[in-house]
Amino acid sequence: MVETEIGKSKFGTIDVFRVLFSLINIIIGLYLLKGGFTLLSLGGSPYYFLAGLAYVAIAVLYFLKNRYALLLSVITFVATFIWALCDTPEFGYWALLPRLVVPAILFTLSLWLSAAYSAPYSLGQRKGMAGVGFGILGCLVITLVEAFSPHGEIHNPDALAPPPATPVATNAPDDWEFFARDPNGTRFVQYTQITPQNVNKLQVAWIYRTGRRLKGSGIGVDENTPSQIGNVLYSCTPEDIVTAIDADTGKSLWKYDAKARTAEHVSCRGVGYYDIDKDTSLTAEEKALPTDGTPVSCRQRILVETVDARFLALDAHTGVPCEGFGEHGSVDLKPQMGPTENSKRYHPTAIPVVMGHVAVIGGWVRDIVHGEPSGVVRAYDVRTGALVWAWDVGDPDNTGAPEGDKTYTLETPNVWAVPTYDKELNLVYLPTGNGPPDYWGGDRDAAKEKFGAAIVAVDASTGKTKWVFQTVHHDVWDYDLPSQPVLHDMTNAKGETVPALIQTTKTGNIFVVDRRTGEPVTEVVEREVATTPSAQGEHLSKTQPFSVGMPTIGADPLTEQSMWGVSTFDQLGCRIKFKQSIYTGPFTPPGEKPYIEWPSLLGGMNWGGVAIDETRGLMFVNDMRMPLQMTLVTQENAKKYKVSTDEVPGFMGTIRPQVAGPYGGVKIDILQSALQVPCNTPPFGTMSAIDLRTKKLVWQVPLGTVQDTGPMGIKTHMPVPLGMPTLGGPTATASGLVFFAGTQDYYLRALDATTGKQVWKERLPVGAVAAPLIYKSPKTGKEYVVISAGGMAHSPDIGDYLIAYSLPDGAGTADASK
């Protein structure tokens, strides 16, 4: 009968639309029914199963032209809208997007289809339905436009402490001599020529091509921040081509190719610098004639750790190897280290830290089996290359080289990040990793348990341990300390100013300790964490340290509701993955069933470190947020997998060998949807500002767009500021700017230090993960911002660019710091 049908007409365009709409609904409904049933059986949300039933029913009713089709469509969308608001852990754009966009599109189509028929609705009703449909379409268009605006920002200006009554004296050097500019690791420059007001006038001053290898295996990642001494920059490539560059013109002054090759962790983060004439640790006689009694050549020298485990000294003026250093300018770091496999399993990955006439060197160790090379840290005389001391936690009483053909203690915690030197206290601070293997520790010895994932203070003259502060107990999550400890005075709970050390971590915790004693300056509590279900033969710590006196960055616990997706469909897939995995919160125990590591071994914070605006007391921290789904694999089951020793995410879908106890490997995958998008709700990377006086978060903004990446790894070419995983580190200026380049899109950016607002960005030819270098030319007085752009990690776009930016003549303000 007419009154029970949507309407009658000859089969035509409207009927084709109706059939297609019914087909779309039934496909979507069946997909949601299947996935929703799986999720429901896992104890998850019933919404997807019920929505699947509704869409199948809607499809059938529209196909039959039943008048109740639109009513059911209305009920389904309204129920979905209410569910979306209730289901969302944090009300926000990105959280609501996958929950509402597909249902809104289907609802709009249903309104238009119903409005196209003459019965049983009046003309006014059909116009109303069409109008509502266009209204929802308008909302969808606004939603699309809003995707190009940042969402999820945090602004808390009340957390800013009042400015000091008198300006803070920084005593910053004019040279960028260390990894993070000065010995304290603050990566702060006192110059004010480039300001938030004129930064948009920056233009390319010069481009230098480093000549690094761009094809083939083992080309590495360009993580280099050049050093700047006077009017010369010193740059290195991943395979240790070292170049001296004129700071004003970008012209090469000399080049030295170390011809270094290795298989893993191919990078050079910078070079060291030593000037014997400025060394206050030596007498005048020692400066003239060092211990071997020969006159000193190479009075200013560049110190290089190579990826094939050598320590080089080059004349800073010519690039010629310093003949009196080691053997013809080179010290081999491999002897007595154990099975290095010609540097494949051991080599330095940081930068030599110069302490007077001594340089301290750690090293990366491949941490997948028992018997890996030693994690010993060594100090060398930078004049001769002679060993001064060795920090070997397996043999603490011996600070020299092992006797005869013995080795340093194998598989001890290593130091692959940059140490920090405190001249006044004569201490060097070592951020340690773990003793191999990473993910099972049932047979770890006392040295591994004490020194793994810890800040260790060592006497800079003797190599003797002074104190230890551990950030993770019995670390089986690969939570190595990834970044350089930063020295900055702060107040404790009593309001006393103390010499503090700030350590960022992969867990999102920021620890602040007294660098004299290792005692916490800000509150740290031991909290109980889950220890079951755990791996065979494992014995996990019942508690872990949490830094509650400082903000925690990007470590909010995951839930099924926080699982995300570009659409309803991949969000459902992510929720199923979450419910199929074991997740008990922070420090979820590793085991033979899939478990979620969050924050993951990728970070949290990583090797780039932080920057501190010393005049404003603001610390800038970038992070990444990518949970991993992991599984320990027994030695028997490991035979079924392809084995890879490549770094994350290169070994996704394979297993990484972890030959320990009953296990032969660990399967590691990013917790991501079928579209290869992380399952956690964006942002996936941010920049945060923390006031070190109030110890509170001032602002946090998503960093990076999907312009140069996207689902399935396909570039979207759309600057949607989702907030992408970050690497590298920021650089702060006294004028109130924060420069950063380590995003997934190819830009160098400047943010306002007090608000986080982006005030400038410049397109790069490829991505960059290095921290920006900022200096002022002693010849011209011009301030430069330099970035080494060699490509993001795992990006197909590789380059060899060193790019300098400056203001056009007359555009800069007077430098107030001079």
Side-chain angles (χ1 to χ4, degrees):
M1 297 181 64
V2 173
E3 61 269 19
T4 63
E5 298 176 350
I6 291 178
K8 294 183 177 180
S9 67
K10 293 182 179 180
F11 194 87
T13 304
I14 296 175
D15 292 285
V16 172
F17 179 29
R18 172 177 56 82
V19 172
L20 288 175
F21 179 69
S22 299
L23 183 62
I24 291 170
N25 271 269
I26 201 163
I27 291 172
I28 290 174
L30 290 174
Y31 180 89
L32 294 180
L33 268 175
K34 182 177 182 298
F37 179 78
T38 301
L39 181 61
L40 192 59
S41 67
L42 294 168
S45 170
Y47 165 78
Y48 297 90
F49 180 76
L50 296 175
L53 285 174
Y55 285 122
V56 169
I58 289 170
V60 172
L61 291 177
Y62 269 104
F63 184 78
L64 297 176
K65 302 182 182 180
N66 190 286
R67 65 181 301 176
Y68 294 109
L70 179 60
L71 177 61
L72 182 56
S73 183
V74 171
I75 293 172
T76 301
F77 182 71
V78 171
T80 295
F81 188 83
I82 295 172
W83 166 81
L85 296 180
C86 296
D87 186 67
T88 306
E90 291 186 11
F91 185 87
Y93 177 87
W94 293 118
L96 291 174
L97 185 78
R99 290 172 167 88
L100 290 178
V101 168
V102 169
I105 292 172
L106 293 176
F107 182 47
T108 300
L109 294 176
S110 73
L111 288 169
W112 287 344
L113 179 57
S114 297
Y117 286 93
S118 59
Y121 307 109
S122 67
L123 179 61
Q125 288 174 323
R126 288 188 284 121
K127 286 184 177 179
M129 287 185 284
V132 173
F134 280 110
I136 297 175
L137 177 62
C139 292
L140 289 170
V141 171
I142 292 173
T143 299
L144 176 62
V145 172
E146 276 296 305
F148 295 88
S149 299
H151 298 279
E153 294 185 348
I154 298 173
H155 294 280
N156 184 23
D158 292 341
L160 276 170
T166 56
V168 177
T170 62
N171 298 317
D174 280 330
D175 292 336
W176 190 297
E177 191 172 332
F178 299 86
F179 173 68
R181 192 173 197 271
D182 62 14
N184 294 334
T186 58
R187 205 177 282 128
F188 171 72
V189 293
Q190 73 272 34
Y191 306 129
T192 59
Q193 191 177 106
I194 302 171
T195 68
Q197 291 73 38
N198 65 25
V199 66
N200 61 343
K201 298 179 181 178
L202 281 179
Q203 58 188 23
V204 174
W206 51 259
I207 299 175
Y208 176 74
R209 304 295 294 270
T210 66
R212 64 172 288 206
R213 186 165 60 94
L214 301 178
K215 296 181 180 180
S217 62
I219 59 174
V221 181
D222 184 355
E223 299 174 345
N224 162 58
T225 298
S227 297
Q228 170 259 326
I229 308 297
N231 215 54
V232 180
L233 308 187
Y234 298 96
S235 171
C236 63
T237 69
E239 293 180 311
D240 303 302
I241 298 175
V242 183
T243 309
I245 302 165
D246 185 281
D248 281 305
T249 66
K251 300 295 184 182
S252 174
L253 302 175
W254 57 255
K255 180 182 288 189
Y256 177 83
D257 186 352
K259 294 181 170 56
R261 299 286 187 273
T262 194
E264 294 187 51
H265 274 291
V266 183
S267 68
C268 178
R269 292 180 182 143
V271 299
Y273 176 76
Y274 176 70
D275 186 343
I276 194 171
D277 295 324
K278 296 181 179 179
D279 186 354
T280 58
S281 69
L282 299 175
T283 65
E285 291 76 12
E286 290 173 318
K287 291 180 181 180
L289 294 174
T291 53
D292 62 0
T294 59
V296 176
S297 60
C298 297
R299 299 192 70 82
Q300 292 78 37
R301 55 186 63 188
I302 300 302
L303 305 170
V304 185
E305 301 171 342
T306 67
V307 294
D308 59 356
R310 289 176 288 153
F311 185 27
L312 310 179
L314 309 175
D315 188 294
H317 305 289
T318 64
V320 174
C322 298
E323 187 64 29
F325 182 86
E327 294 186 10
H328 310 294
S330 175
V331 173
D332 189 352
L333 300 174
K334 296 185 292 295
Q336 299 184 288
M337 290 296 290
T340 65
E341 290 187 37
N342 197 29
S343 81
K344 180 180 180 180
R345 296 168 69 173
Y346 159 81
H347 59 262
T349 56
I351 183 173
V353 176
V354 178
M355 311 179 299
H357 63 284
V358 174
V360 64
I361 295 175
W364 166 83
V365 174
R366 192 188 70 172
D367 42 12
I368 60 178
V369 297
H370 283 306
E372 296 281 19
S374 177
V376 64
V377 175
R378 291 169 287 181
Y380 292 88
D381 190 311
V382 297
R383 302 166 298 168
T384 65
L387 180 70
V388 176
W389 54 257
W391 181 75
D392 180 358
V393 296
D395 189 10
D397 294 329
N398 179 24
T399 57
E403 296 182 358
D405 59 356
K406 294 181 180 179
T407 66
Y408 295 103
T409 308
L410 301 184
E411 62 177 87
T412 50
N414 60 324
V415 177
W416 59 265
V418 181
T420 305
Y421 172 57
D422 187 325
K423 184 177 181 180
E424 290 187 8
L425 297 177
N426 195 39
L427 295 176
V428 58
Y429 303 101
L430 309 177
T432 70
N434 291 304
D438 277 329
Y439 307 104
W440 186 84
D443 59 1
R444 287 183 182 171
D445 59 24
K448 290 184 183 181
E449 296 289 19
K450 178 179 180 180
F451 291 101
I455 310 161
V456 184
V458 171
D459 187 291
S461 299
T462 66
K464 291 289 187 180
T465 300
K466 293 298 182 179
W467 56 256
V468 181
F469 179 87
Q470 192 166 58
T471 63
V472 179
H473 306 320
H474 191 76
D475 178 15
V476 287
W477 301 272
D478 198 12
Y479 284 154
D480 297 354
L481 287 186
S483 55
Q484 180 182 22
V486 179
L487 312 185
H488 183 78
D489 294 351
M490 291 177 61
T491 57
N492 59 19
K494 299 178 182 178
E496 303 166 332
T497 299
V498 298
L501 178 150
I502 304 169
Q503 180 67 62
T504 57
T505 68
K506 292 181 179 180
T507 66
N509 284 280
I510 301 171
F511 293 94
V512 182
V513 299
D514 189 320
R515 59 182 186 260
R516 299 167 297 186
T517 64
E519 294 298 316
V521 172
T522 57
E523 186 180 5
V524 176
V525 298
E526 290 282 337
R527 289 178 177 166
E528 289 189 3
V529 294
T531 57
T532 57
S534 65
Q536 300 178 45
E538 188 58 274
H539 51 86
L540 300 177
S541 174
K542 295 181 179 179
T543 65
Q544 292 290 350
F546 289 80
S547 178
V548 298
M550 289 288 287
T552 301
I553 306 297
D556 291 341
L558 298 178
T559 63
E560 181 201 332
Q561 288 72 28
S562 64
M563 293 297 98
W564 193 72
V566 176
S567 69
T568 302
F569 314 115
D570 54 323
Q571 183 178 44
L572 171 58
C574 282
R575 293 175 86 132
I576 292 172
K577 277 191 174 183
F578 180 81
K579 297 299 288 187
Q580 287 174 334
S581 306
I582 295 173
Y583 176 70
T584 57
F587 303 99
T588 293
E592 295 173 30
K593 294 183 178 179
Y595 65 94
I596 294 174
E597 184 175 289
W598 169 261
S600 74
L601 59 90
L602 303 172
M605 288 72 107
N606 212 296
W607 60 265
V610 305
I612 295 178
D613 184 330
E614 298 180 21
T615 62
R616 295 170 177 81
L618 291 175
M619 180 171 71
F620 307 102
V621 183
N622 62 286
D623 74 313
M624 69 173 78
R625 306 176 187 187
M626 295 179 67
L628 296 179
Q629 186 184 56
M630 304 174 63
T631 312
L632 288 178
V633 182
T634 63
Q635 294 195 33
E636 182 63 29
N637 288 335
K639 299 174 183 177
K640 304 174 184 177
Y641 289 91
K642 175 185 175 183
V643 175
S644 173
T645 59
D646 293 340
E647 285 303 294
V648 175
F651 57 74
M652 297 297 159
T654 68
I655 64 167
R656 187 182 189 198
Q658 280 289 287
V659 184
Y663 299 104
V666 58
K667 188 174 185 294
I668 304 178
D669 294 284
I670 296 174
L671 185 66
Q672 60 186 3
S673 73
L675 297 178
Q676 298 180 7
V677 175
C679 283
N680 51 306
T681 303
F684 306 133
T686 70
M687 180 72 76
S688 301
I690 298 170
D691 192 306
L692 295 178
R693 297 158 295 179
T694 64
K695 286 90 171 175
K696 294 181 179 179
L697 182 70
V698 177
W699 53 259
Q700 184 176 94
V701 297
L703 268 188
T705 72
V706 296
Q707 180 172 346
D708 296 298
T709 186
M712 307 297 291
I714 300 171
K715 294 183 180 182
T716 68
H717 301 288
M718 294 189 296
V720 177
L722 198 66
M724 302 299 286
T726 68
L727 279 172
T731 302
T733 73
S735 64
L737 290 170
V738 183
F739 287 90
F740 185 76
T743 56
Q744 297 294 315
D745 55 0
Y746 306 163
Y747 287 97
L748 173 62
R749 290 176 167 86
L751 308 179
D752 186 289
T754 56
T755 67
K757 179 183 177 182
Q758 180 178 287
V759 291
W760 174 78
K761 71 174 182 178
E762 181 70 12
R763 184 72 172 164
L764 300 173
V766 296
V769 295
L773 160 71
I774 302 176
Y775 63 93
K776 190 176 75 170
S777 166
K779 287 186 177 180
T780 64
K782 182 170 287 192
E783 187 176 336
Y784 293 90
V785 180
V786 174
I787 190 67
S788 188
M792 287 296 299
H794 311 291
S795 170
D797 300 327
I798 308 297
D800 66 340
Y801 303 90
L802 199 62
I803 307 173
Y805 300 87
S806 66
L807 296 172
D809 292 340
T813 58
D815 189 340
S817 68
K818 294 296 179 185

